[in-house]
Amino acid sequence: VAQQISMENSSSVKEFILLDLSENQGVQKLYFVVFLLFYTLTVAGNLLIVLTVTSSRHLNSPMYFFLCHLSFVDVCYSSVTAPQMISGFLVENNTISFSGCMGQLFGLHFFGCTEIFILTAMAYDRSVAICRPLHYPALMSRRLCGRMVGGSWAGGFLHSTLQTLPTALLPFCGPNKVAHYFCDIHPLLRLACADARAVGLVAVANSGVISLICFVVLVTSYVAILVSLRGQKPAGWHKALSTCGSHVTMVILFFGPRTFVYIRLSGDLSEDRSVAVFYTIITPMLNPLIYTLRNGEVKGAMRKLCRRKVGSG
């Protein structure tokens, strides 16, 4: 028995090889420059929003409280996958240890799910602000906002644990080449040396329930907004829709691609890679642009912060 256990341990996978976006060396060098630039802009832009909101006395409404947490989550979320992918463009085999792979899987779903919950909380906040403006300060108290953000982090942790733990307990004793540029549920299940259909069903059900609940809250919030705008003048419509425009854009860019990838029992992993580049790299980079270009208060606070930093320097 001891000899059998020893053989099983010796045959278990100690590291995985991640797939590059291209096999062409010249293209990989180009990708290195492009995605390094994207990641730098993502970190710098989102951290600038965090610093702007936390340092400004005027940006103290619930909307900016949620935006600050959203930007922080975007930095963490992109940092789970981008550095490994970018460094992989410079080496022949982009390897990651088993524990590193499971950590990446956990972080990907932890921060991704937390972001979905925060976006849902922001939709509820906008519906209350537009539908019940007189009661808004009382309904969206600082305590409630703190509980909503705390619940988002807790929900993301629970979701990620339920996704990662069953996958980590599967035996991996054969092929170790992951058909993706990061460790994720579907490509890892294909490498397991056991029947992983049950784990796949649990993963899809987990993602499906969360997506359905968030989708219902999002749709209900925006239906309530549209209903409340009936009979108002065009100026009222323009003000309300411009307030929600940035959030709707982020929801579509982030929520849509992730739903396409995760609520499926199986799929074309090459398609998943293309979609994943969008929601792991592009969308977090666009977040600062989307919220600052359409928001005069944030742009004004950023200019004041930059002038203050330059003046102190």
Side-chain angles (χ1 to χ4, degrees):
V1 175
Q3 183 178 3
Q4 182 179 358
I5 294 175
S6 177
M7 290 176 61
E8 289 178 356
N9 289 336
S10 64
S11 62
S12 62
V13 171
K14 298 295 189 298
E15 65 178 17
F16 292 100
I17 300 174
L18 299 175
L19 193 67
D20 292 320
L21 293 178
S22 173
E23 296 181 358
N24 187 301
Q25 293 294 324
V27 174
Q28 285 194 42
K29 292 179 181 178
L30 176 62
Y31 280 165
F32 172 80
V33 175
V34 171
F35 286 110
L36 179 60
L37 175 62
F38 284 175
Y39 179 61
T40 303
L41 292 175
T42 298
V43 174
N46 282 288
L47 287 181
L48 180 59
I49 286 185
V50 173
L51 290 174
T52 300
V53 173
T54 54
S55 63
S56 175
R57 291 176 294 178
H58 302 290
L59 302 180
N60 55 3
S61 67
M63 178 176 69
Y64 298 118
F65 175 74
F66 290 127
L67 176 59
C68 182
H69 281 271
L70 180 69
S71 295
F72 177 73
V73 171
D74 270 333
V75 172
C76 298
Y77 182 67
S78 60
S79 297
V80 171
T81 57
Q84 179 76 38
M85 178 187 71
I86 293 169
S87 63
F89 292 133
L90 301 179
V91 297
E92 184 175 352
N93 286 325
N94 186 13
T95 60
I96 184 171
S97 66
F98 181 87
S99 58
C101 183
M102 294 303 124
Q104 190 179 64
L105 175 63
F106 180 87
L108 180 79
H109 285 270
F110 176 41
F111 295 116
C113 186
T114 301
E115 177 151 353
I116 288 176
F117 285 144
I118 291 177
L119 287 171
T120 306
M122 293 175 75
Y124 175 75
D125 169 68
R126 291 299 83 205
S127 67
V128 174
I130 294 172
C131 300
R132 305 187 67 182
L134 298 179
H135 299 90
Y136 177 71
L139 292 174
M140 294 300 296
S141 64
R142 185 172 294 274
R143 175 179 292 184
L144 176 61
C145 293
R147 288 178 176 176
M148 292 174 76
V149 168
S152 298
W153 285 99
F157 180 83
L158 178 61
H159 162 76
S160 187
T161 301
L162 294 176
Q163 296 285 74
T164 306
L165 190 58
T167 305
L169 294 176
L170 288 172
F172 293 93
C173 54
N176 68 336
K177 181 172 285 189
V178 181
H180 214 312
Y181 65 88
F182 59 84
C183 293
D184 205 359
I185 293 287
H186 293 310
L188 285 175
L189 293 183
R190 298 189 180 189
L191 301 180
C193 301
D195 189 353
R197 284 178 293 182
V199 177
L201 285 171
V202 171
V204 171
N206 186 1
S207 300
V209 169
I210 291 174
S211 299
L212 179 61
I213 292 174
C214 293
F215 179 76
V216 170
V217 174
L218 289 167
V219 171
T220 302
S221 299
Y222 285 108
V223 167
I225 290 172
L226 293 175
V227 170
S228 69
L229 292 176
R230 288 186 305 174
Q232 290 198 19
K233 296 179 180 180
W237 276 84
H238 177 74
K239 182 178 180 180
L241 294 179
S242 64
T243 303
C244 300
S246 301
H247 182 260
V248 172
T249 304
M250 279 301 299
V251 167
I252 294 173
L253 292 178
F254 187 82
F255 198 88
R258 284 181 61 87
T259 303
F260 169 79
V261 169
Y262 290 110
I263 308 184
R264 297 183 300 166
L265 290 177
S266 61
D268 185 351
L269 292 181
S270 62
E271 290 182 1
D272 288 0
R273 287 198 301 275
S274 301
V275 176
V277 168
F278 194 79
Y279 66 75
T280 59
I281 306 294
I282 306 299
T283 302
M285 180 186 67
L286 294 178
N287 175 30
L289 294 175
I290 291 171
Y291 278 100
T292 55
L293 291 178
R294 298 177 59 89
N295 194 306
E297 288 184 319
V298 176
K299 286 190 289 186
M302 280 186 177
R303 284 194 291 268
K304 290 180 181 178
L305 176 64
C306 292
R307 284 197 296 266
R308 194 159 61 241
K309 294 296 182 181
V310 172
S312 63

